[in-house]
Amino acid sequence: MKKIVKISPHIEPRMWGKGKRLREEFHYETDIEQLGEVYNVVALPGHADCKIPEMNCTLSELYVEHPNWFECETDQLPIRVNILDPDEDLSIQIHPDDSFAKEYNGGRGKPEAWVILDAPEDGYIEFGHHAKSKEEFIEWTKNKKWDKLLRYLPTPINGFIDIPTGTLHAIGKKVLTYNISRNADLTLRLYDYDRIDPSTGKKRDIQPQFVYENVNLPDKMIEFEMYPAAHEFGCDVTRYWDEPGLYTLIRIHVKKQGKFLHERFAFYTCIDGEGTINGISIRKGETVLVPSHMGWMHFNGNMDLFLASYRNEKEN
């Protein structure tokens, strides 16, 4: 029988994760000291896979054993959600497209999107580049002319940015983000500031040659967008993205009571406040899965929620 279930986050150490917000504000309990990233939704068997205690299984197992909960065309769960709180800048990197990923590791490309939850006044992300040609991109990289090559954007709180495959990017230090992406895991690094990974005592691998082959040239020069909210059935609803074959991202802010109808499966992640969804408790940091065709979701409480979902490519 279909039912709403809580998803336990998957956590791995990150060398740039030394902050306290995920632990103290989002209630993530872990022995991992370098807590900078939490996978709220991930289902990569044998690699990164959230657990569902109530069902005594992992998310990837649930996806295979109960396909009617998801009604998806894909062999694996198609989407992934994580929250990042880096204490240092992430590496300058790209995610390649499907064709390269399939040949490289048998996987898929990883387009993604971020919403800025919090940032210092001087917060920033690295996003894109200024090179006009592949030759210029390579020359500036090899000579470490990062001030010429790298493009930085200020980070407006609640700003949304789309990150197509091939886009050079990196989240800056102290910039708290909610991220949605395809459920894939292939990152190609261009530059990592020559940092030493404390877990290995060595520099992390970089893959500049593969970046040269896959980076967008010329760059698409994408900017942050601020989407308005509409009041619907007691909720303030912001609709960021809804692309068949990629992902659906909606934000729902409830102040006391409200309701929302979404017929596809959905992962609701609470990024502020607490309350209930159809009687199931949820608080800041928690994620619940609502299977497909469960009808209206009735909210009670003061909550800021992200809804992550997926529509099949052949859907209208």
Side-chain angles (χ1 to χ4, degrees):
M1 181 182 295
K2 294 180 181 179
K3 59 181 178 179
I4 300 172
V5 293
K6 288 192 177 183
I7 309 296
S8 293
H10 177 84
I11 300 173
E12 298 174 354
R14 294 288 183 258
M15 61 180 292
W16 36 260
K18 302 172 185 176
K20 298 180 179 179
R21 280 189 292 191
L22 294 180
R23 200 183 311 270
E24 296 180 357
E25 296 180 22
F26 285 81
H27 315 293
Y28 295 122
E29 297 180 4
T30 176
D31 294 330
I32 293 174
E33 293 185 7
Q34 293 177 307
L35 177 60
E37 178 177 26
V38 172
Y39 292 98
N40 306 89
V41 178
V42 66
L44 297 172
H47 174 46
D49 207 352
C50 290
K51 294 182 179 179
I52 307 172
E54 187 176 345
M55 303 293 287
N56 194 29
C57 67
T58 65
L59 186 53
S60 66
E61 290 169 342
L62 181 74
Y63 185 78
V64 171
E65 294 169 6
H66 296 280
N68 64 317
W69 286 38
F70 302 91
E71 299 182 352
C72 289
E73 64 204 350
T74 56
D75 292 335
Q76 292 186 339
L77 181 73
I79 59 171
R80 187 173 89 168
V81 168
N82 52 330
I83 295 175
L84 271 82
D85 181 30
D87 203 52
E88 300 174 10
D89 293 350
L90 272 67
S91 61
I92 308 297
Q93 59 188 249
I94 68 166
H95 303 301
D97 62 18
D98 284 347
S99 60
F100 181 88
K102 184 177 181 180
E103 183 176 338
Y104 187 85
N105 67 357
R108 301 185 70 189
K110 189 186 163 217
E112 61 181 311
W114 303 336
V115 178
I116 305 300
L117 302 182
D118 194 21
E121 288 188 12
D122 58 352
Y124 56 84
I125 60 168
E126 194 290 323
F127 202 86
H129 61 86
H130 297 292
K132 303 302 182 185
S133 67
K134 185 174 182 178
E135 292 73 23
E136 192 171 59
F137 188 97
I138 293 173
E139 191 269 325
W140 286 352
T141 298
K142 288 185 173 179
N143 291 291
K144 297 187 176 183
K145 296 181 179 179
W146 305 121
D147 57 333
K148 286 189 175 182
L149 178 66
L150 302 179
R151 174 177 177 249
Y152 286 88
L153 298 177
T155 47
I157 294 175
N158 298 323
F160 169 92
I161 197 160
D162 174 46
I163 310 169
T165 57
T167 304
L168 205 64
H169 64 275
I171 297 174
K173 60 184 178 182
K174 309 295 185 182
V175 177
L176 181 71
T177 61
Y178 171 97
N179 302 352
I180 185 170
S181 68
R182 181 173 287 155
N183 186 37
D185 194 19
L186 175 53
T187 297
L188 303 174
R189 296 192 190 100
L190 179 69
Y191 181 52
D192 195 35
Y193 317 100
D194 297 321
R195 291 183 290 203
I196 301 298
D197 187 340
S199 66
T200 63
K202 300 177 182 179
K203 294 180 183 179
R204 292 196 296 178
D205 290 339
I206 59 174
Q207 300 83 26
Q209 191 60 47
F210 289 137
V211 173
Y212 302 154
E213 295 174 18
N214 289 276
V215 69
N216 292 332
L217 284 163
D219 190 32
K220 297 180 180 180
M221 307 303 281
I222 295 168
E223 301 280 347
F224 274 102
E225 295 185 67
M226 304 296 291
Y227 283 89
H231 195 70
E232 303 176 17
F233 301 101
C235 307
D236 291 325
V237 179
T238 306
R239 300 178 186 274
Y240 293 106
W241 203 268
D242 184 28
E243 181 178 341
L246 187 53
Y247 42 69
T248 299
L249 180 60
I250 301 170
R251 190 171 184 173
I252 303 169
H253 191 191
V254 184
K255 294 183 179 178
K256 289 185 179 180
Q257 290 182 324
K259 64 179 183 177
F260 192 76
L261 180 65
H262 184 77
E263 291 291 7
R264 296 291 293 161
F265 76 90
F267 293 96
Y268 290 86
T269 298
C270 183
I271 55 97
D272 199 20
E274 61 182 327
T276 61
I277 301 176
N278 282 17
I280 304 297
S281 66
I282 187 170
R283 67 171 182 174
K284 185 174 181 176
E286 289 187 326
T287 296
V288 299
L289 164 62
V290 177
S292 60
H293 303 296
M294 291 284 285
W296 287 90
M297 292 297 107
H298 295 267
F299 307 118
N300 284 278
N302 190 338
M303 300 178 289
D304 195 352
L305 304 162
F306 277 96
L307 181 161
S309 186
Y310 174 87
R311 287 198 292 139
N312 293 322
E313 287 192 61
K314 295 181 180 179
E315 289 184 32
N316 294 325

